[in-house]
Amino acid sequence: MNIRFEQVSKQFSNHMAISDLNFTIQDGEFVCLLGPSGCGKTTTLMMLAGLYQPTKGNIYFGDQVINHLEPKDRNIGMVFQSYALYPHMTVRDNIAFPLKQQKVPKKIRYGRAEKTARLVRLENYLDRKPSQLSGGQQQRVALARALVKEPNLLLLDEPMSNLDARLKIEMRDELRQLQKQLKITTIMVTHDQEEAMAMADRIAILDRGEIQQFDTPEQLFAYPKNVFVARFLGNPPMNFLDAEIIHELDGMIVHGEGYHFYLQKQLHIPNKTKITLGIRPHDLQVVSERRGIFSAVVTNIEHLGREKLLSATMGEQPIRFFVSNDQKIKYGDRIYLSPNLEAIHIFSKETGENLLWSREVSYEQVEGKTGLI
């Protein structure tokens, strides 16, 4: 089922929680609403569920406006952060409960409950109570209860926030495989960027009630449209350095404190405009002094197993980068770094917009060669 938001806003008293949302979710797509607390992602989910009504605009399920449709009439399944299981009921009864509300005969609803339990590998736990289950098993019960109605739309409100790190990885793989198998349009709210990147076909990144960017995980990571998206996606986060642009005849020089380099690109901004240079840690390489663009002093070393994450300072500005385990670098060492110039980002100091990647053109249309001076 396709989902469409057209100029949807939601206001609570004097607070505008959602402002003019416009986006479409395709049939069978897995979409994550990602952002910090208070960004409007849960409000968006509650409007889809029918628990909130839009202040203005329309929400469509297919071609039908569903703004005033009761939750029970929307054919949705929902998994809450708390799981909301009934402690006095068995797993079988918890899963079958939505069908009981629909007055489905007992034999039929238990048959569907057992079939759904097999989907989520709970067939051996049907006679247990929630208190006898692990966190991961309780999550599966909540998921089975949402799926037993055979919904057109599955809504997930931070369903894995109560699980430990290892179980989260297992459950997100299982949930993604199940969603692909059932081909249910699924929308998940999360503040965990790794969870969203691992599971979603597309991610809508929200901030202060507005969608900052809605795209595939690959595009969001490689081509963030503004500083907020660039800062929010990536672990460790992108490095941000103060700089200015100096125009040359056939390109420009990016000049910052203690460094400069040449780009064969041109931006339509005044000469010596202050900008923010963005470089992801994996796009920096330790090189010789002669080849280095940045000079920094190492302040911290994190051992991550197959590699190390180093923190360093360039004057007053911090910078982080990865090195292999066989590189012998110590605290206090001065090192020299060279960036992958094809992967840098230049952000406006005033608006935060990525000046190299326009909203009006596809990323594949942007061209430009790079080089060192």
Side-chain angles (χ1 to χ4, degrees), residues 229-258:
V229 175
R231 194 187 304 276
F232 201 84
L233 275 188
N235 185 24
M238 184 180 288
N239 294 298
F240 295 100
L241 304 173
D242 295 328
E244 65 178 7
I245 296 297
I246 301 173
H247 291 302
E248 295 284 299
L249 185 61
D250 58 349
M252 60 186 180
I253 294 172
V254 179
H255 176 74
E257 183 182 352

mmCIF file of all heavy atoms in Angstrom, residues 229-258:
data_model
loop_
_atom_site.group_PDB
_atom_site.id
_atom_site.type_symbol
_atom_site.label_atom_id
_atom_site.label_comp_id
_atom_site.label_asym_id
_atom_site.label_seq_id
_atom_site.Cartn_x
_atom_site.Cartn_y
_atom_site.Cartn_z
ATOM 1 N N VAL A 229 22.169 16.823 8.482
ATOM 2 C CA VAL A 229 22.191 15.446 7.990
ATOM 3 C C VAL A 229 23.599 14.876 8.091
ATOM 4 O O VAL A 229 23.804 13.746 8.528
ATOM 5 C CB VAL A 229 21.671 15.366 6.543
ATOM 6 C CG1 VAL A 229 21.813 13.947 5.991
ATOM 7 C CG2 VAL A 229 20.220 15.824 6.469
ATOM 8 N N ALA A 230 24.586 15.661 7.690
ATOM 9 C CA ALA A 230 25.977 15.205 7.725
ATOM 10 C C ALA A 230 26.423 14.892 9.142
ATOM 11 O O ALA A 230 27.133 13.913 9.385
ATOM 12 C CB ALA A 230 26.886 16.274 7.115
ATOM 13 N N ARG A 231 25.995 15.714 10.091
ATOM 14 C CA ARG A 231 26.395 15.512 11.487
ATOM 15 C C ARG A 231 25.648 14.337 12.114
ATOM 16 O O ARG A 231 26.206 13.599 12.924
ATOM 17 C CB ARG A 231 26.127 16.788 12.294
ATOM 18 C CG ARG A 231 26.802 16.837 13.661
ATOM 19 C CD ARG A 231 26.351 18.050 14.459
ATOM 20 N NE ARG A 231 26.573 19.285 13.760
ATOM 21 C CZ ARG A 231 27.718 19.953 13.752
ATOM 22 N NH1 ARG A 231 28.745 19.484 14.418
ATOM 23 N NH2 ARG A 231 27.834 21.079 13.083
ATOM 24 N N PHE A 232 24.385 14.150 11.710
ATOM 25 C CA PHE A 232 23.564 13.123 12.334
ATOM 26 C C PHE A 232 23.915 11.728 11.853
ATOM 27 O O PHE A 232 23.836 10.766 12.617
ATOM 28 C CB PHE A 232 22.077 13.406 12.058
ATOM 29 C CG PHE A 232 21.161 12.730 13.021
ATOM 30 C CD1 PHE A 232 20.880 13.306 14.250
ATOM 31 C CD2 PHE A 232 20.595 11.507 12.725
ATOM 32 C CE1 PHE A 232 20.042 12.673 15.162
ATOM 33 C CE2 PHE A 232 19.760 10.861 13.616
ATOM 34 C CZ PHE A 232 19.481 11.446 14.845
ATOM 35 N N LEU A 233 24.296 11.598 10.580
ATOM 36 C CA LEU A 233 24.619 10.280 10.022
ATOM 37 C C LEU A 233 26.117 10.058 10.039
ATOM 38 O O LEU A 233 26.890 10.891 9.565
ATOM 39 C CB LEU A 233 24.116 10.170 8.585
ATOM 40 C CG LEU A 233 22.668 9.751 8.354
ATOM 41 C CD1 LEU A 233 22.446 9.508 6.875
ATOM 42 C CD2 LEU A 233 22.285 8.524 9.142
ATOM 43 N N GLY A 234 26.509 8.905 10.534
ATOM 44 C CA GLY A 234 27.929 8.572 10.547
ATOM 45 C C GLY A 234 28.426 8.372 11.956
ATOM 46 O O GLY A 234 28.172 9.198 12.849
ATOM 47 N N ASN A 235 29.097 7.270 12.189
ATOM 48 C CA ASN A 235 29.668 6.979 13.503
ATOM 49 C C ASN A 235 31.071 6.414 13.312
ATOM 50 O O ASN A 235 31.214 5.288 12.829
ATOM 51 C CB ASN A 235 28.794 5.976 14.250
ATOM 52 C CG ASN A 235 29.272 5.730 15.664
ATOM 53 O OD1 ASN A 235 29.943 6.582 16.239
ATOM 54 N ND2 ASN A 235 28.950 4.573 16.217
ATOM 55 N N PRO A 236 32.089 7.212 13.656
ATOM 56 C CA PRO A 236 32.060 8.545 14.253
ATOM 57 C C PRO A 236 31.544 9.592 13.270
ATOM 58 O O PRO A 236 31.543 9.365 12.062
ATOM 59 C CB PRO A 236 33.532 8.799 14.609
ATOM 60 C CG PRO A 236 34.292 7.989 13.617
ATOM 61 C CD PRO A 236 33.474 6.755 13.403
ATOM 62 N N PRO A 237 31.109 10.743 13.780
ATOM 63 C CA PRO A 237 30.532 11.761 12.902
ATOM 64 C C PRO A 237 31.579 12.414 11.993
ATOM 65 O O PRO A 237 32.790 12.266 12.195
ATOM 66 C CB PRO A 237 29.945 12.777 13.882
ATOM 67 C CG PRO A 237 30.709 12.573 15.148
ATOM 68 C CD PRO A 237 31.048 11.119 15.202
ATOM 69 N N MET A 238 31.072 13.116 11.007
ATOM 70 C CA MET A 238 31.924 13.836 10.065
ATOM 71 C C MET A 238 32.762 14.887 10.789
ATOM 72 O O MET A 238 32.335 15.481 11.778
ATOM 73 C CB MET A 238 31.031 14.509 9.010
ATOM 74 C CG MET A 238 31.775 15.229 7.906
ATOM 75 S SD MET A 238 30.653 16.009 6.697
ATOM 76 C CE MET A 238 30.016 14.580 5.830
ATOM 77 N N ASN A 239 33.981 15.106 10.298
ATOM 78 C CA ASN A 239 34.812 16.206 10.781
ATOM 79 C C ASN A 239 34.347 17.506 10.131
ATOM 80 O O ASN A 239 34.072 17.544 8.922
ATOM 81 C CB ASN A 239 36.282 15.980 10.405
ATOM 82 C CG ASN A 239 36.874 14.769 11.109
ATOM 83 O OD1 ASN A 239 36.960 14.726 12.327
ATOM 84 N ND2 ASN A 239 37.303 13.781 10.329
ATOM 85 N N PHE A 240 34.274 18.581 10.917
ATOM 86 C CA PHE A 240 33.899 19.894 10.396
ATOM 87 C C PHE A 240 35.013 20.884 10.715
ATOM 88 O O PHE A 240 35.395 21.040 11.880
ATOM 89 C CB PHE A 240 32.583 20.372 11.004
ATOM 90 C CG PHE A 240 31.408 19.510 10.627
ATOM 91 C CD1 PHE A 240 30.935 18.547 11.509
ATOM 92 C CD2 PHE A 240 30.787 19.657 9.398
ATOM 93 C CE1 PHE A 240 29.852 17.739 11.171
ATOM 94 C CE2 PHE A 240 29.704 18.862 9.050
ATOM 95 C CZ PHE A 240 29.246 17.910 9.925
ATOM 96 N N LEU A 241 35.526 21.534 9.667
ATOM 97 C CA LEU A 241 36.638 22.470 9.813
ATOM 98 C C LEU A 241 36.255 23.827 9.247
ATOM 99 O O LEU A 241 35.598 23.916 8.200
ATOM 100 C CB LEU A 241 37.874 21.939 9.070
ATOM 101 C CG LEU A 241 38.362 20.538 9.467
ATOM 102 C CD1 LEU A 241 39.484 20.083 8.539
ATOM 103 C CD2 LEU A 241 38.818 20.505 10.924
ATOM 104 N N ASP A 242 36.677 24.890 9.918
ATOM 105 C CA ASP A 242 36.433 26.239 9.431
ATOM 106 C C ASP A 242 37.379 26.547 8.265
ATOM 107 O O ASP A 242 38.565 26.191 8.301
ATOM 108 C CB ASP A 242 36.662 27.263 10.541
ATOM 109 C CG ASP A 242 35.668 27.114 11.683
ATOM 110 O OD1 ASP A 242 34.517 26.716 11.400
ATOM 111 O OD2 ASP A 242 36.039 27.393 12.839
ATOM 112 N N ALA A 243 36.847 27.205 7.240
ATOM 113 C CA ALA A 243 37.670 27.534 6.071
ATOM 114 C C ALA A 243 37.015 28.677 5.308
ATOM 115 O O ALA A 243 35.952 29.190 5.684
ATOM 116 C CB ALA A 243 37.838 26.305 5.167
ATOM 117 N N GLU A 244 37.674 29.089 4.233
ATOM 118 C CA GLU A 244 37.092 30.063 3.315
ATOM 119 C C GLU A 244 37.434 29.667 1.893
ATOM 120 O O GLU A 244 38.377 28.890 1.650
ATOM 121 C CB GLU A 244 37.594 31.483 3.616
ATOM 122 C CG GLU A 244 39.077 31.682 3.377
ATOM 123 C CD GLU A 244 39.530 33.120 3.649
ATOM 124 O OE1 GLU A 244 38.720 33.917 4.155
ATOM 125 O OE2 GLU A 244 40.691 33.435 3.340
ATOM 126 N N ILE A 245 36.665 30.188 0.930
ATOM 127 C CA ILE A 245 36.859 29.885 -0.483
ATOM 128 C C ILE A 245 37.552 31.059 -1.163
ATOM 129 O O ILE A 245 37.114 32.213 -1.046
ATOM 130 C CB ILE A 245 35.505 29.618 -1.173
ATOM 131 C CG1 ILE A 245 34.848 28.368 -0.589
ATOM 132 C CG2 ILE A 245 35.673 29.489 -2.679
ATOM 133 C CD1 ILE A 245 35.625 27.096 -0.797
ATOM 134 N N ILE A 246 38.639 30.759 -1.873
ATOM 135 C CA ILE A 246 39.344 31.769 -2.675
ATOM 136 C C ILE A 246 39.232 31.347 -4.131
ATOM 137 O O ILE A 246 39.700 30.272 -4.514
ATOM 138 C CB ILE A 246 40.819 31.891 -2.254
ATOM 139 C CG1 ILE A 246 40.904 32.283 -0.778
ATOM 140 C CG2 ILE A 246 41.546 32.897 -3.138
ATOM 141 C CD1 ILE A 246 42.307 32.271 -0.223
ATOM 142 N N HIS A 247 38.599 32.176 -4.959
ATOM 143 C CA HIS A 247 38.368 31.816 -6.348
ATOM 144 C C HIS A 247 39.643 31.902 -7.177
ATOM 145 O O HIS A 247 40.442 32.833 -7.034
ATOM 146 C CB HIS A 247 37.305 32.726 -6.964
ATOM 147 C CG HIS A 247 35.932 32.497 -6.403
ATOM 148 N ND1 HIS A 247 35.305 31.278 -6.442
ATOM 149 C CD2 HIS A 247 35.072 33.342 -5.770
ATOM 150 C CE1 HIS A 247 34.119 31.373 -5.874
ATOM 151 N NE2 HIS A 247 33.949 32.616 -5.443
ATOM 152 N N GLU A 248 39.818 30.916 -8.041
ATOM 153 C CA GLU A 248 40.869 30.900 -9.043
ATOM 154 C C GLU A 248 40.199 30.897 -10.422
ATOM 155 O O GLU A 248 38.979 30.726 -10.529
ATOM 156 C CB GLU A 248 41.744 29.656 -8.877
ATOM 157 C CG GLU A 248 42.516 29.611 -7.578
ATOM 158 C CD GLU A 248 43.717 30.550 -7.590
ATOM 159 O OE1 GLU A 248 44.611 30.365 -8.428
ATOM 160 O OE2 GLU A 248 43.733 31.484 -6.772
ATOM 161 N N LEU A 249 40.989 31.050 -11.480
ATOM 162 C CA LEU A 249 40.435 31.156 -12.831
ATOM 163 C C LEU A 249 39.612 29.934 -13.211
ATOM 164 O O LEU A 249 38.515 30.050 -13.753
ATOM 165 C CB LEU A 249 41.563 31.363 -13.854
ATOM 166 C CG LEU A 249 41.115 31.601 -15.303
ATOM 167 C CD1 LEU A 249 40.271 32.868 -15.382
ATOM 168 C CD2 LEU A 249 42.315 31.679 -16.236
ATOM 169 N N ASP A 250 40.137 28.747 -12.935
ATOM 170 C CA ASP A 250 39.446 27.524 -13.343
ATOM 171 C C ASP A 250 39.074 26.629 -12.162
ATOM 172 O O ASP A 250 38.871 25.434 -12.306
ATOM 173 C CB ASP A 250 40.310 26.727 -14.326
ATOM 174 C CG ASP A 250 41.663 26.363 -13.726
ATOM 175 O OD1 ASP A 250 41.993 26.907 -12.656
ATOM 176 O OD2 ASP A 250 42.378 25.533 -14.314
ATOM 177 N N GLY A 251 38.997 27.208 -10.967
ATOM 178 C CA GLY A 251 38.651 26.419 -9.792
ATOM 179 C C GLY A 251 38.632 27.290 -8.553
ATOM 180 O O GLY A 251 38.280 28.474 -8.611
ATOM 181 N N MET A 252 39.040 26.707 -7.427
ATOM 182 C CA MET A 252 39.042 27.469 -6.177
ATOM 183 C C MET A 252 40.006 26.826 -5.183
ATOM 184 O O MET A 252 40.353 25.645 -5.300
ATOM 185 C CB MET A 252 37.634 27.521 -5.573
ATOM 186 C CG MET A 252 37.035 26.161 -5.248
ATOM 187 S SD MET A 252 35.320 26.313 -4.707
ATOM 188 C CE MET A 252 34.923 24.573 -4.415
ATOM 189 N N ILE A 253 40.430 27.634 -4.243
ATOM 190 C CA ILE A 253 41.285 27.164 -3.153
ATOM 191 C C ILE A 253 40.455 27.166 -1.872
ATOM 192 O O ILE A 253 39.777 28.149 -1.558
ATOM 193 C CB ILE A 253 42.534 28.043 -2.980
ATOM 194 C CG1 ILE A 253 43.443 27.911 -4.208
ATOM 195 C CG2 ILE A 253 43.292 27.660 -1.711
ATOM 196 C CD1 ILE A 253 44.599 28.876 -4.216
ATOM 197 N N VAL A 254 40.495 26.039 -1.174
ATOM 198 C CA VAL A 254 39.896 25.951 0.158
ATOM 199 C C VAL A 254 41.004 26.249 1.156
ATOM 200 O O VAL A 254 41.992 25.516 1.239
ATOM 201 C CB VAL A 254 39.298 24.557 0.409
ATOM 202 C CG1 VAL A 254 38.696 24.482 1.807
ATOM 203 C CG2 VAL A 254 38.239 24.221 -0.643
ATOM 204 N N HIS A 255 40.832 27.341 1.895
ATOM 205 C CA HIS A 255 41.903 27.820 2.774
ATOM 206 C C HIS A 255 41.403 27.850 4.211
ATOM 207 O O HIS A 255 40.375 28.443 4.526
ATOM 208 C CB HIS A 255 42.339 29.225 2.365
ATOM 209 C CG HIS A 255 43.370 29.816 3.279
ATOM 210 N ND1 HIS A 255 44.689 29.410 3.272
ATOM 211 C CD2 HIS A 255 43.269 30.762 4.253
ATOM 212 C CE1 HIS A 255 45.359 30.093 4.186
ATOM 213 N NE2 HIS A 255 44.523 30.913 4.790
ATOM 214 N N GLY A 256 42.146 27.159 5.087
ATOM 215 C CA GLY A 256 41.834 27.172 6.511
ATOM 216 C C GLY A 256 43.091 27.410 7.322
ATOM 217 O O GLY A 256 44.186 27.576 6.764
ATOM 218 N N GLU A 257 42.944 27.417 8.634
ATOM 219 C CA GLU A 257 44.088 27.668 9.503
ATOM 220 C C GLU A 257 45.110 26.543 9.381
ATOM 221 O O GLU A 257 44.858 25.406 9.777
ATOM 222 C CB GLU A 257 43.625 27.792 10.955
ATOM 223 C CG GLU A 257 44.756 28.122 11.923
ATOM 224 C CD GLU A 257 44.279 28.196 13.367
ATOM 225 O OE1 GLU A 257 43.057 28.138 13.593
ATOM 226 O OE2 GLU A 257 45.150 28.309 14.250
ATOM 227 N N GLY A 258 46.255 26.826 8.766
ATOM 228 C CA GLY A 258 47.329 25.847 8.644
ATOM 229 C C GLY A 258 47.202 24.916 7.453
ATOM 230 O O GLY A 258 47.985 23.968 7.334
#
